[in-house]
Every structure is written in C-alpha cells, then in structure tokens.
Amino acid sequence: MSDYSFEYFTVRFPTDQQYVAHVEINRPERLNAFIEVMWLNMAKIFNKLSSDPSVRAIVLSGAGEKAFTAGLDVKAASEGLLSSETSTDPARKAAFLRRHILEFQECITAVERCEKPIVVAMHGFSLGLAIDLSTATDVRLCSRDSKFAVKEVDIGIAADIGTLSRLPKVVGSYGWVKEIALTAREFGAEEALRVGFVNGVYDSREATVAAALKLAKLMASKSPVAVQGTKEILNYSRDHSVQDGLRYTSVWNGAALQTQDVSAALLSGLQKRVPTFEKL
Amino acid sequence: MSDYSFEYFTVRFPTDQQYVAHVEINRPERLNAFIEVMWLNMAKIFNKLSSDPSVRAIVLSGAGEKAFTAGLDVKAASEGLLSSETSTDPARKAAFLRRHILEFQECITAVERCEKPIVVAMHGFSLGLAIDLSTATDVRLCSRDSKFAVKEVDIGIAADIGTLSRLPKVVGSYGWVKEIALTAREFGAEEALRVGFVNGVYDSREATVAAALKLAKLMASKSPVAVQGTKEILNYSRDHSVQDGLRYTSVWNGAALQTQDVSAALLSGLQKRVPTFEKL
Amino acid sequence: MSDYSFEYFTVRFPTDQQYVAHVEINRPERLNAFIEVMWLNMAKIFNKLSSDPSVRAIVLSGAGEKAFTAGLDVKAASEGLLSSETSTDPARKAAFLRRHILEFQECITAVERCEKPIVVAMHGFSLGLAIDLSTATDVRLCSRDSKFAVKEVDIGIAADIGTLSRLPKVVGSYGWVKEIALTAREFGAEEALRVGFVNGVYDSREATVAAALKLAKLMASKSPVAVQGTKEILNYSRDHSVQDGLRYTSVWNGAALQTQDVSAALLSGLQKRVPTFEKL
Amino acid sequence: MSDYSFEYFTVRFPTDQQYVAHVEINRPERLNAFIEVMWLNMAKIFNKLSSDPSVRAIVLSGAGEKAFTAGLDVKAASEGLLSSETSTDPARKAAFLRRHILEFQECITAVERCEKPIVVAMHGFSLGLAIDLSTATDVRLCSRDSKFAVKEVDIGIAADIGTLSRLPKVVGSYGWVKEIALTAREFGAEEALRVGFVNGVYDSREATVAAALKLAKLMASKSPVAVQGTKEILNYSRDHSVQDGLRYTSVWNGAALQTQDVSAALLSGLQKRVPTFEKL
Amino acid sequence: MSDYSFEYFTVRFPTDQQYVAHVEINRPERLNAFIEVMWLNMAKIFNKLSSDPSVRAIVLSGAGEKAFTAGLDVKAASEGLLSSETSTDPARKAAFLRRHILEFQECITAVERCEKPIVVAMHGFSLGLAIDLSTATDVRLCSRDSKFAVKEVDIGIAADIGTLSRLPKVVGSYGWVKEIALTAREFGAEEALRVGFVNGVYDSREATVAAALKLAKLMASKSPVAVQGTKEILNYSRDHSVQDGLRYTSVWNGAALQTQDVSAALLSGLQKRVPTFEKL
Amino acid sequence: MSDYSFEYFTVRFPTDQQYVAHVEINRPERLNAFIEVMWLNMAKIFNKLSSDPSVRAIVLSGAGEKAFTAGLDVKAASEGLLSSETSTDPARKAAFLRRHILEFQECITAVERCEKPIVVAMHGFSLGLAIDLSTATDVRLCSRDSKFAVKEVDIGIAADIGTLSRLPKVVGSYGWVKEIALTAREFGAEEALRVGFVNGVYDSREATVAAALKLAKLMASKSPVAVQGTKEILNYSRDHSVQDGLRYTSVWNGAALQTQDVSAALLSGLQKRVPTFEKL
C-alpha cells in the first residue's frame, strides 16, 4: 500500500505494521481546527478504509505538537453554518440548519461505521469536535498534556455532532458527563483515565501514537472475521436490549463461524506459530 | 426575586449568585423524612422553577446537620400507602397502590423534567428516597459524613420511585448497583465518588452547599439556550439509540442555533468579557 | 434440603447458610472447560433453583485450584459445533449454526432469568465462557490470582454466548470493553475491580467463596419478595427507558406491596430482632 | 351520581346506564371549537373520571347539530399560541412554543390515560383537533353526515397534538394516513368505516350517541378489573414489542387474576344471571 | 414420515403433500378446550417440527365438527390456575400466577418461533385461546360457520396468553381490536375477513382444511431457505424499526444468499420445471 | 426548471404543475428491470430533489405500456451480486454480500428520506423491487392492469431491499403480508386497494399518472413547511412509541410554527385566495 493524502489529511501505511493504516489530521497551523472540507474528507477516508481489504486496524492522530484538534474552526463556522443570514423565516432557517447538522453528523458516523477497529491517539488541545470524533472510534489513548473539554456551551450551543449521544455510552457515568457538558470545564488526562474516557495515558504525543500503533498492530494480527464481527456486535449491542443483541449475534455468527480462520487460529495455537488470515 | 416557601421547603435566591435558586428540604426535626405533602410540594416547586425565566440553575440541599433526607417517613407510610386496609380484593388493592406509586413517581420525575440544571448537595443520612431523588438531578455532590443506602429491601419492598431505573444509568456499573440494592448496605462518600455516584466530596455540609452553589453559578453564567438544550439532549439520549439521539439533536438545534446567544458568546470570547444573555 | 448433583455440577445447601444454594462447576481435571452437557445441565439447575422456595440466594464457583473455568472446551467444540462438516450449502450450515448458538445462549440466559440473586466467585483461569457466564449473574467476586480474558477473537470468532451484549452493560465503559474484546488480552483482579467488572477481590479461592457465601447469606436474610422484585426490576430497567422502567415497577409493586413482609420487616426493625419471611 | 359541568363541558350520568358517564363538549355556537380553557378542563374531567369508582365506561360527544368539533379555534389561536409576538429570539420563541405544545399534548394524553374505556360519538364537522382527540379514545362511532379532515396543513402547520402519532396506529394503513394528512382533504363516514377509523356509522347524531351509550353500557356490565386491564395492556402493547407486551401482561395479571370478579363471573355464567362486581 | 400423536394431538404427514405436516387438536368431546397438558404438548410438537428437515410448512386445525377450540377449559382452570387457594400472601400468589402465565405464554410463543410457516384452519367455536393461538401462526383461514370471540373479559380477566399483544399487529386496526376485546362480543367469518384477521373464508371445515393444505403445499414447494428467511424477517420486523429491520435482513441474507437454491430456482425457472431443494 | 435525465431515468417539470417533479424509470425495453446503475442513479435523483427548493411534491412512474418495473434484472444479478464466485470463504462472502445489500438498501431508503412527498403511479408488471420501491414512497396509485407480487421466494431468496420491513407497516395487516410474501402469488389492483396497499385504482397507465400528478399538485399547493413536517413526523412515528412521537413533534414545531406560512395561510383562508409560500 502506498501512502496517500486528502486535503488536510494524510493516510500512511507503516511498513512495520502490516494491515495498519495511520490517518493524520493535518492542519497544525490552525491547531487542526475543522472546516467543512475536512469532515467531508474524513468521511471519504474512513469509508475507503472500511472496505480496503489490506487494512485491519486504524490509528487516528493529529499533526503538530499543540493539538489533536482544537475543534470546530469557529471563525469559519460563524461565517458559514452559524452565520445569521440565509433566510429570514425561522422555519426555513431551521430546515437549512437541520440539513447541515445531519450532513455533518453523517461524516462523524462514517468513522463509527468503519468496519475496522480504530484507535485514536490524542494530545494537547482536544476540544469540542475532538470529543465528538473520538467517541466515534473504538479505543481512546492520550498524552499526559491533553486538554479536553466539551466546549460547546461556551459558544452558546448544545453539542450536536455526537458528543451528547455517544460520550455517556462510552464512559457509563451520566453524572460526570452532565457536569462536563453543562460547564464546559477542561479536564486532563488523569481524569479522562479515571472515568474511562481514555484507556491509557502516555508521556508524549510520540509515545501515545506509538502505543496506538502497537495496539492497532495487535488487533490487526487477529482474524479479521473475528475482529470486525466483534466491533459490529458491540456497536449493535450499545443501542439494543440484551435479547436483541443475542439474536443479532446468532445470525451474524451463522455465517462468520463458517470461516476458515477458526481452524487456522486453532491450528496456529497448537503449533505455537502466528496464523495468517485471508484478506477481508 | 424574593425568597418563598412551601410547606417543608424553602426557596432562596442568593443575591450573589445571579440566576441561581436554592431549594432546601426543611423538616430537620424528622431528618427531612418525606411525607406526602412534601413530594407534592417538591413537584410544584420544580415545575415553577422550570419555567421561571429568572432561574438558570438550581441547588437542592437539606436543612439541619444530620441528614439530607432519611427517606420516606416510614411511620407515616405504614399508616397510609403501606397500610393493610382499604380493599380486600387484591386486584383492586393493586390498582389503588399502582395509582399512588405512579403519582409519587411523577413528583420525582418533575425534578428530572425541570428544564434548568440541578446540583444536589447531600450530607449525613441520605437514605432510600434520597437516592431516588438525587438520581433525578444532574450533578451530585456530598459531604464526607454522608451515609447512603438503597434502603428499601430492609422494609420488604423493591424501590419503586426511581432508584432501580435511574441509578444504574447514572453510575454505569450494574454490578455495583445490584450489590447495593440487593443488600441495602450503607456506603460512604468515598465509595460514592469512586463509582461515579457523586462528582465531588467536601468536608462539611456547608462546604458541599457552597461547592454546589459555585457549580450552579458557573452553569448559570452560560447561555441558557445552550445549557437547557444540553440537559434535554443528554436526558433524551439516555433512553434512546445513538441514531435517535443524533436525529433529535438535529431538530432541536435547527431552532436553537438561531439564537442570538451564539454571536453574544463568540463576541464576548473575542473581547474577553462576560456575555449577557436574554432570559429563558 | 439435601445436596444433589448433575453431571459436572454439584449443588450444596450449606447448613450454616439458611436459604443459600452453592453451585459448583465440577470438571477440575479439564480446568472446568465446558462441553455441551454442561451448559444444558447448568440451565436445568438454575431453572430448578429459580422456583425452589427453600432457596433465596445462590453462589456459583468452580472446583479445583486452577480455574473457575477455562471456557469452552475448544477441542470438543472443534469436533462438534465448529467442525467443518455437516452441510456443504452455506445457507443451511448457517441455519444449523444459528440454532445451536440460540440453544447455547438460552442456557446462559437461564442463569440471568433465575429469580434468585446469584453471586459468582471466580478464581484462576476465568476465560471466554467465564465472562459470558459471570455477566449473567448479579454480583461478581474474584480471587487475586484470577486471569480473565474475552478470549474468543484468538480462536477466530466473535463471542456469541453473551459477553458482547452483557459485559458493556455490566461495567458501563464501552471503551474498556472494546479494547479487551478486540485484543483478547488478559486482565487481572485489580483491573477487574477498577473497571467495575468485579465488586471485590480476595486473597484465595477459599476466601472468595467464603465472601460470596457471606454476601448470599445477607441477601437471603431479607424479604424474598423485596429481593426478587429488586433483581427483576433492575434486569428490566437495563433494557428499557426510565419511563418504561417506572411503569413496569408500578405494576410490579401493585402486587408486591401487599405482602405481609412489609409489616414483618417494619415490626422487626422496631423490635430489633431478625424478621422471618414466608417462603417464595 | 349527580351531573356536573366544567366551562364548555357537561358530564352526565344517565340513570338507565349504570356506571356510564357521558361527557359533552358544549360550545355549539362556535361549532365546539377549542380554546385553551377547554383542553385544560377536558383533562381535568378525564382525570377525575379515571379514578371515579362509580364510572366504568365513558361516552364523549359534542353538543349542537352541526359539529362534534370544528377543531382548534383558529381565531383565538392566532391571537395566542400562533401569534408572531412574544420573543424575537427564534430559540427562545421555540422554547416557548414547545412548552405550550407539550402542555396541550398532555391534555389529550389525559384522555388516553383515563383508565376507563371511552367511546366517542362524532357527527358533522369533525376536523383537526377532532381527529387528535378521537384517536386518544378507544372506540370511534360516527353519524352519516360526518365531515372529517386532518386539517392542519391548510393552516400551515403539521398536526402536533397527537394525530400524526396516533392515527396510523389506529387504522394500521400508513398509505391512507399519508394521503389524508398531506392533502387535508375531507373524508366522510363511509371512508372512515372502510379504513377502520370508525367502528360504526349511524343515521344521525342521536342514533350515534345512543349506539355509543349502548356500547359503553355493555363494557360497563363486565368486570372492571378485566376491562381496565384489557385497555391498559392494549395501550402498552401498541408501543412495545410482542415479547415486552407478554412480560408486562404476566406481571399485570399476577395481581389482577386474584380478583373475586373471576369467581363472580364464572358463577353468574353457570347460573345464567348478571354478575355484580365491586367498584374500581 | 410416519404419523405420530401426543396426548390430545395428532400429527399427520399427508402422502400427497410433500414436506407438509398437519397438526390436529384432538379433544373433540370437550370442544377441543385446552387443559395444561395440551399447551405443553403443543409446544413440544412445534419445537419438534421446527427443526424437522422433512417439514417445510404446517397446517393446524381442530378435530370434530363443532369447534376449532372453545378456548381454555374453564372448569379445569378454575380448579387449578384460577383457583383461590395456594397462598394467602397476595405478593406470593402474584409470583405463583406470574410464573404460570409466563410458562403458558412460552408454549404459545413456541408456535410463533417455529421456523416453518403455519397455516391455521379454524371452524365453529374459536374462542379465547383460539385467538391467542391463531395470532401466533402465519396465515389464518376459516369456515363460514366460525364463531370468534376474545372471550376473556366475560370470565373477569384480561387475555394474557398473547391476544392483546399479537392481535392488533395482525389486523393493524386498534379501533376494531379495542371494541372486540372490551366487549367480548362474537364476530363471524365475514367480519374476520373484512378486518384482515383471516385471509380466506370457506364453506365447511373440510374445505377450510383442504385450502390450508393447498396453501401449505404451495409454500412447501418453494426454497426452504427463502421461505424460512421470509418468515423470520417478517416476525423480526413486526417488533423493530424499519432501519433495524433492514440491518437484520442484510446480516441474514449475507449467509442465505450463498445457498444453492438461488441457482436451482433460476435454472428451473428458465427450464420451466419444478426445482428441488436440499432439506432444511 | 428544465428537465434533465440520468441513465435510465428522466426527470420532468410539468409546466402546468408548479413545484411538481415527475421522475420516470426509463428502460421500457427490459420492462424497467433494475441494474445496479439504476438504483445508484435513483438515489442521486431523490437526494437532489430532496433539497431542491423549487420542488414540493414528486411523482414516480415507469415508461412503457407493460411495466412499472419487473423488478431486479435477475439475469444481470445472477452474473453479479448473486453469482457464486468471488470468495470461497463463506464468512468473507457473507461480508461481501452484506455490504452490497446495505448499499442497495441505502438507495431505496434515499427515496424514503426525500423530504418532499412522493406519489407513485404503478401499472402492468410491478414485481419484486416494485414493492420495495413503492413502500418507500408516501402514496401508491395503480392502474387496473397492475400485476403485483413479492416475487423473491420464487428465486430462492428472502426480499432484502425493504419489502419485508416496510410493507407490513404500509398495510397494517401482517396476515395478508405473510401469505403474499411466503407464496409469491400475484395480486391485482382490486386486492391492493382492499388491503390498503394502494390508495386508488385507475383505468390506464395514463389515467394513473394523471391522478398522481393531480394529487402531487394538491400537495404542492400547501405550505411546504407544513407538508414536509407532516411527512417527517409520520415517518418518525412509524418507528417510535406515541410518547416519543409527541416529544419529537413538539421540538419540530417549536421551529416550524414560527413560519410566516401560518399567517399567509390564515389570511388567504379569510380572503378566499390561493396563498403563496416562500421556497423550501
């Protein structure tokens, strides 16, 4: 696989990490703040990786030392989506805004729908959209210097791209989420670890990215049938009752258990060697 | 705003905390134990504050040094709701009990439905109904001397006013809730903090109330459009799938993003001054 | 009650723990690994205990020093369920597999549906099926030497007997579950306690079983009407909205509050003596 | 029972129809069009009848020859709820409108929540709110001259008091509802009968009311435990899966089957006489 | 296949209807009224047929000229389930009743869960349980002399074995179901056809059974992969949103479309001959 | 607006039907059977019309005298999606199929998500995909010569593009849908009208298209704020409980009721003239 890039994004395929793709947000001069082309491109990238058979796990991080992403580029937004013009009829303006929010949400949901597991490595400013985005991935790691905040109430809005729907289900505790979201107060790496928002804290951006790549490599070494099935069933279960989750699983595994990966994995286990699996 | 009171409740408007209301349970001679008039009055108070435009955040606490509330006044209940008389036909008695439970539940739900964020400051005995009530608020703080228990199984009943439905969603961990609810064992402030039941522990009743007022003041300083939207969407998301949460948010923000608070907040941010927002 | 046994299971009624049953998985020579007869027998045992009026709480543990259970007996499975024969038509093979998965799931669900509270005491190897099984119980305890893993991706499959549906709801944190399930990495007692998977860690298998029996005894000393109602309503609430939970509770307690246990419990409280309750 | 009235409503207790209440909308000079006091009063009436033990079935009809109700009093509404004043901030105006809609919806839902079965007798103009209101009752009858329409799109709004949520579930066919609601076209008694919106068509207002009273009398002659349980379970089932419906029913009947009405009904059946049942 | 019988049931395999099983309720001397052994046996039969590869469609009918089934054997029930003895504690009696209702419901649900399509042929008295039972099948046919009623309110109970949950979803119209269930009035074949309760009306019991066998034979001539998948997805969709239905279907067909039946069916279509399909 | 076309589709803007778009499936030489490019193009067209402010209602029909559409082009499908090649690992093939089904479903769902109401005019062969497609529109009309069938079981598959999820909710009656889907039998215009699948039957293709255009014109003459809101809320309500539907409606109308269309509509009503509404 050769590396490629989309505007404000780089996609690399580390040669020592087979089946791993590394997506980097690349607008460091503006603290990786998001403008519209960026979320559209991000969706394109994750849709592409989702069906790319040479990818089995993905790392997402931000370029530059200062920020994973400072969130929405508020200056650009206040001239665009949040500007006060367009229509003078409040009902029509509401329709216009709703369509734009749905489109934006759909781009973040593309990250969640990506069939391959995603590990996000955050550092420095990780505000607003950083939370929306990272809660759509599977595992969150961060560096010790991370500064997190659900920043939206500070600009007069309720977060609408995913944080309020996904963050409580990521961490479990509604009490903590309520405080964080209603005050927009900053929290750091230690608090993020304690409440379960991140799975690990590392000393620097580099160490965090390295840990994310290592974790992704581990996931990429397993049967992709098993890994992708596990991700899908966990996502399904989040939004359904246990009985529904069990029923869905039984149908999913009706096909998945027919894979040759099971015997490959079992045999490798007995022979103490690394199994190889067909692409998916 | 001038202070007012309902039987067993005082509502104050601290002069140094603009837009903050402080509701105090006021039956200290009986450890703030609840009798029927109290839950009816509490619902009235929170319904009133919900639509009072001069209120943006609320603190709830209990008068007296010994208890936030010792829970249901069991003596009164055993002469009323839990008495063995009324009907001899079990089906008719069940109908009578069900209506009363629904009415009681509705009073606690009035706290949850209040559109303004609520910070509860608990201390001393905080048993039974204290858990039902506090899980219907948004953020829980407590003093170091707090004694919590889901006390209901000790009087032969399953908690039916909200604890069993809301507590697991507040803390995330079903394992801990099962133990606490099936044994009625007491737990203290540190355990409450560790499992995420409370967001902070303070040295005394006074310090807890002060911290709650400070937190409420911070919430009250933000755009009420943003804060009330955030509370509503988080409550909605608790009971719905992520996709449903996103759809609801897009409709909500179709109207909310048209607020003048966004430009007020953005401008204040640039000008480094405190924004003012129209009442809501 | 006299003790009895089913193939690979022993059910004991400790004489000093009234109303407590102790179920032991008994295939220590194979690390208590499960073959088909075991999950069928386990379902039979828990169905029987569910309606046995002389049982009010249950402890589940594994015989032998090395393992609670090492999970599915992979060797047996690879000759049975996971074997590559039976049908050559993938659709028919899928139907065959789906029926078997549903039947297996149903056996684990029998543990969850058991009306009496269950405390599980785990030790040593507690892999794969150990997680499926323990998340269907109410409270999890473990010894310090426990080695846990959601092992399934290592044999090429997505866990399908309950872990992916139940574990996230037990611990609350999806982030941690994703990491554990996508990597199959082992975790120990301390991590299990920190994330809320277990409620307590003890020094040895014996100490863990003793603690579980003590906890079960405590639950068994309470009103069975209250305890069984609490378990049922908590299980219902896990899969429903708060409003639905409240409605269900009001109907449940319409009958349950008519119990004589309430006055028995209240009276005993006043008289400082241990109440006795009719069987259920 | 003596008759009573609320502003714009009369509640009668026909002497020849034991246990039946007859509620009449009484503003014939304005075609029974609704103003705010009317929906507030209507909710009060149905809440009162819901727990009145001397009522077992209810008939709802409209006074005057011309209309059951012509719907919302648009003139009053355009000066009130739909007026363009109040706030100039669209987000604040949205909050104001939302609160009013919820309050209005709550009044219609009070009709649905009434524990006693309701038969509505419609005639003449039965527009807009007439549909919202009648879909919250249990059985709909109408006279041959009825003129129905989901009128809201003709005044520039989507029906928001219940029609769009309840009508499709009453008639089953979404195709017909879409046409009716998107065109606001009038439909008559025959079409209403064919699609299942009404259960019967009668020659005149008088004949319709008489048929409704007869049907209500029949319902009132049955065990109130059975009738009220049947209504509640059907309402619950509308919004839940079959499995959930079955589970709820099992809990409901755990109490209800203990009624003495069962033996009273069985005995009367054997003795060919009319059973009498205790009040509920 | 040779015919077999269970107490009160006969299972025949008509020689001229390949892959069709005919289940007959056989207690004509008591109008096929159900006692406990009958619902337990019925569940056993349908569980057996569900996984019997030589069965592709099933007909269910009642022996004797007078009744499909007159419903629950009330005399037996009043001495058993509905008797007033057992426990004097209403909460314990409620638990006892609830367990029995759940067990009974589970037997009817076994009919719904049967993977093969079921056509029921009703005639004569088809009361109470006849409705519960027939709504758990797939297609309902009846003879002109059928007498239907949701009879339960006449014996003082709300129908709890399935009618109130399933009937509204079978016919679509809640209005008609409310009338029928709240009055217990009888309805005939023509009304049943008009509201969609039955799919066809025939002149006699014999003609109805013959039509059911013909319909079952037609279903049995199709690909069993396609037919069983269609039944399962329709049952799933009844209780889920359209989006959930689509997602479930996509997983189901991921395996099912790999069947050799597709090419067999396509080839037969081109060659104008009857396809043969492997057993399932 | 000038007409345009996509491969196999024509989009016209009838000059005498302001705000109405007419989409025609245009592959009459193959009975309008669908190949992959067609569903992709259809999604593009409806996405475009959804946000085109000069369109307020849409008619969908098929070119040629013989068929609305004969469904999936089975010959093309059997060389593509349904071919037996690609992968030999059943789990990987299942993943491949699932992705294709989801993509195909998404194209049909684009029709349902189109914000403008859609009237479909069917004639002649309207098989398989014709049902999937038409159930994603709002109102169905057909000519007397229509031949409908849920054809999928005849080619060995369960319908997976929408019919099994949407058709039961369109017609209400599960009984009829089960028969139709499990037998693949043809049904005609009269039966389609009787069960509520179509809203009207016309004498010819031309008459059906004319009626559809007339109906669309009527919808297009109403306030687009009201019409689009009505469609959205009805679609939402189909998949949610009544309480959820009411809550969603209250938020939607918080913005929508602020439209100037309300006063425009009211004023026009008083002045007996046709209102004009701003684009949306």
Side-chain angles (χ1 to χ4, degrees), chain A residues 74-75 78 81-84 87-95 97-99 101-102 105-106 109 112-113 152-166 168-169 171-185 194 238-240, chain B residues 117-118 137-141 168-173 193 195-197 199 215 218-219 222-223 225-231 233-247 249-259 261-263 265-266 277:
Chain A
V74 175
K75 190 161 166 296
S78 65
L81 194 64
L82 296 176
S83 75
S84 34
S87 170
T88 54
D89 186 55
R92 284 170 172 79
K93 182 142 193 206
L97 286 165
R98 190 174 47 79
R99 286 172 191 164
I101 295 168
L102 287 170
Q105 288 176 342
E106 201 54 34
T109 297
E112 181 173 292
R113 287 218 188 106
E152 281 84 348
V153 295
D154 271 353
I155 57 166
I157 68 176
D160 53 11
I161 310 302
T163 289
L164 301 184
S165 294
R166 288 194 183 96
K169 300 186 181 183
V171 301
S173 165
Y174 260 88
W176 179 78
V177 172
K178 283 261 178 87
E179 181 196 333
I180 287 301
L182 290 168
T183 63
R185 83 158 163 81
R194 183 170 50 76
R238 181 190 60 192
D239 294 328
H240 292 82
Chain B
I118 304 167
T137 69
D138 299 296
V139 176
R140 280 152 297 282
L141 306 181
K169 300 188 181 183
V170 160
V171 301
S173 165
L193 183 64
V195 301
F197 175 59
N199 289 38
L215 192 53
L218 178 58
M219 292 174 183
K222 314 281 175 182
S223 153
V225 169
V227 164
Q228 293 170 30
T230 297
K231 172 168 178 168
I233 295 172
L234 281 170
N235 279 358
Y236 181 91
S237 294
R238 180 192 59 192
D239 293 329
H240 292 83
S241 70
V242 165
Q243 275 309 303
D244 263 12
L246 293 173
R247 188 176 182 180
T249 306
S250 74
V251 178
W252 184 278
N253 268 0
L257 290 185
Q258 299 185 45
T259 182
D261 291 16
V262 173
S263 51
L266 290 174
F277 303 107

Side-chain angles (χ1 to χ4, degrees), chain D:
Chain D
M1 294 288 297
S2 37
D3 300 354
Y4 53 82
S5 60
F6 279 69
E7 200 179 4
Y8 301 120
F9 284 91
T10 316
V11 184
R12 294 196 197 87
F13 299 90
T15 49
D16 59 336
Q17 316 256 358
Q18 208 185 3
Y19 297 123
V20 172
H22 181 182
V23 180
E24 197 179 52
I25 311 171
N26 203 340
R27 199 193 177 209
E29 68 285 6
R30 300 296 300 262
L31 299 176
N32 292 326
F34 270 67
I35 53 177
E36 191 170 9
V37 66
M38 291 173 75
W39 61 79
L40 294 172
N41 279 348
M42 192 177 60
K44 277 181 205 147
I45 290 168
F46 281 93
N47 284 338
K48 192 174 154 75
L49 295 174
S50 182
S51 58
D52 182 339
S54 53
V55 172
R56 293 193 182 164
I58 302 165
V59 167
L60 173 65
S61 67
E65 287 308 307
K66 294 208 187 126
F68 169 64
T69 169
L72 191 67
D73 185 322
V74 175
K75 189 160 167 295
S78 66
E79 286 157 8
L81 195 65
L82 296 176
S83 75
S84 35
E85 25 168 343
T86 359
S87 171
T88 54
D89 187 54
R92 284 171 172 79
K93 181 135 194 214
F96 166 84
L97 286 164
R98 189 173 48 78
R99 286 172 192 164
H100 273 74
I101 295 168
L102 286 170
E103 193 182 65
F104 195 171
Q105 288 176 343
E106 201 55 34
C107 292
I108 303 295
T109 296
V111 176
E112 179 172 293
R113 287 218 188 104
C114 175
E115 299 186 7
K116 316 299 167 57
I118 304 168
V119 182
V120 68
M122 296 180 281
H123 73 283
F125 292 109
S126 299
L127 308 176
L129 189 53
I131 312 291
D132 296 279
L133 179 51
S134 65
T135 54
T137 69
D138 299 295
V139 177
R140 281 151 297 282
L141 306 181
C142 76
S143 70
R144 202 164 304 284
D145 72 341
S146 298
K147 287 176 200 67
F148 299 108
V150 179
K151 202 64 191 163
E152 282 84 349
V153 295
D154 270 354
I155 57 166
I157 68 175
D160 54 10
I161 309 303
T163 289
L164 301 184
S165 294
R166 289 195 183 97
L167 181 57
K169 301 186 180 182
V170 161
V171 300
S173 165
Y174 259 88
W176 179 78
V177 173
K178 283 263 178 85
E179 181 196 333
I180 286 301
L182 290 167
T183 62
R185 83 156 164 82
E186 210 177 278
F187 60 99
E190 288 311 318
E191 182 170 354
L193 182 65
R194 183 169 51 76
V195 300
F197 175 58
V198 299
N199 289 37
V201 176
Y202 301 87
D203 280 338
S204 64
R205 189 182 87 92
E206 288 66 34
T208 311
V209 170
L213 284 167
K214 197 177 156 196
L215 192 54
K217 189 178 181 179
L218 179 58
M219 293 173 183
S221 72
K222 314 280 175 183
S223 153
V225 169
V227 163
Q228 294 171 30
T230 297
K231 171 168 178 167
E232 166 69 10
I233 295 172
L234 281 170
N235 279 359
Y236 181 92
S237 294
R238 181 191 61 192
D239 294 329
H240 292 83
S241 69
V242 165
Q243 274 310 303
D244 263 14
L246 293 173
R247 188 175 181 180
Y248 188 75
T249 306
S250 73
V251 178
W252 185 278
N253 269 0
L257 290 186
Q258 299 184 45
T259 183
Q260 295 147 357
D261 292 16
V262 173
S263 50
L266 290 174
L267 199 63
S268 306
L270 294 173
Q271 302 176 341
K272 309 280 181 200
R273 51 172 192 74
V274 178
T276 57
F277 302 107
E278 195 187 334
K279 291 192 171 186
L280 178 62

Side-chain angles (χ1 to χ4, degrees), chain E residues 8-261:
Chain E
Y8 300 119
F9 284 92
T10 317
V11 183
R12 294 197 196 86
F13 298 90
T15 49
D16 59 335
Q17 314 258 0
Q18 208 185 5
Y19 298 122
V20 172
H22 181 181
V23 179
E24 199 178 49
I25 311 170
N26 204 339
R27 200 193 177 208
E29 68 283 7
R30 299 295 300 262
L31 298 176
N32 293 324
F34 270 67
I35 52 177
E36 191 169 10
V37 66
M38 291 174 75
W39 60 80
L40 294 172
N41 279 348
M42 192 177 60
K44 278 182 203 146
I45 290 168
F46 281 93
N47 284 338
K48 192 173 153 78
L49 296 174
S50 183
S51 59
D52 182 339
S54 52
V55 173
R56 292 192 182 165
I58 301 166
V59 167
L60 173 65
S61 67
E65 287 308 306
K66 293 208 188 126
F68 169 64
T69 169
L72 191 66
D73 185 322
V74 175
K75 187 158 169 295
S78 65
E79 288 156 7
L81 195 64
L82 297 176
S83 74
S84 35
E85 22 165 345
T86 0
S87 171
T88 54
D89 187 53
R92 284 169 173 79
K93 181 136 194 213
F96 167 83
L97 286 165
R98 190 174 48 78
R99 286 173 192 162
H100 273 74
I101 295 168
L102 286 169
E103 193 182 66
F104 194 171
Q105 288 177 343
E106 201 55 34
C107 293
I108 303 295
T109 297
V111 177
E112 179 173 293
R113 287 219 187 104
C114 174
E115 300 186 6
K116 317 299 167 56
I118 304 168
V119 183
V120 68
M122 296 180 281
H123 74 282
F125 292 108
S126 299
L127 307 176
L129 189 53
I131 312 291
D132 296 278
L133 178 51
S134 65
T135 54
T137 69
D138 299 296
V139 176
R140 280 152 297 283
L141 306 181
C142 76
S143 69
R144 204 165 302 284
D145 71 343
S146 298
K147 286 176 202 65
F148 300 108
V150 179
K151 202 64 191 161
E152 281 83 350
V153 295
D154 270 354
I155 56 166
I157 68 176
D160 53 11
I161 309 303
T163 289
L164 301 185
S165 294
R166 290 195 182 95
L167 181 57
K169 301 189 180 182
V170 161
V171 301
S173 165
Y174 260 87
W176 179 78
V177 173
K178 283 262 179 85
E179 182 197 334
I180 286 302
L182 291 168
T183 62
R185 82 156 164 83
E186 209 177 277
F187 59 100
E190 286 312 316
E191 183 171 353
L193 183 64
R194 183 169 51 74
V195 300
F197 175 59
V198 299
N199 289 38
V201 175
Y202 300 88
D203 280 337
S204 64
R205 188 183 87 92
E206 287 66 34
T208 311
V209 170
L213 284 166
K214 195 176 157 195
L215 192 54
K217 188 179 182 179
L218 178 58
M219 292 174 183
S221 72
K222 314 281 174 180
S223 153
V225 169
V227 164
Q228 293 171 30
T230 298
K231 171 168 178 168
E232 165 71 9
I233 295 172
L234 281 170
N235 279 358
Y236 181 92
S237 293
R238 180 191 61 191
D239 293 329
H240 291 84
S241 70
V242 165
Q243 274 310 302
D244 263 13
L246 293 173
R247 188 176 182 180
Y248 188 76
T249 306
S250 74
V251 179
W252 184 277
N253 269 0
L257 290 186
Q258 299 185 46
T259 183
Q260 293 147 0
D261 292 15

Side-chain angles (χ1 to χ4, degrees), chain E residues 138 140 169-170 172 199 222 226-227 230 234-235 237-238 240-242 245-246 249-250 253-254 257-258 262 266, chain F residues 74 90 94 97-98 101-102 105 153-158 160 164-165 169 172-175 178-179 182-183 238-239:
Chain E
D138 299 296
R140 280 152 297 283
K169 301 189 180 182
V170 161
N199 289 38
K222 314 281 174 180
V227 164
T230 298
L234 281 170
N235 279 358
S237 293
R238 180 191 61 191
H240 291 84
S241 70
V242 165
L246 293 173
T249 306
S250 74
N253 269 0
L257 290 186
Q258 299 185 46
V262 173
L266 289 174
Chain F
V74 174
L97 286 164
R98 190 175 47 80
I101 295 168
L102 286 170
Q105 287 177 343
V153 294
D154 271 352
I155 55 166
I157 68 176
D160 54 11
L164 301 185
S165 294
K169 301 188 179 181
S173 165
Y174 260 86
K178 283 262 178 85
E179 181 197 333
L182 290 168
T183 62
R238 181 191 60 192
D239 294 329

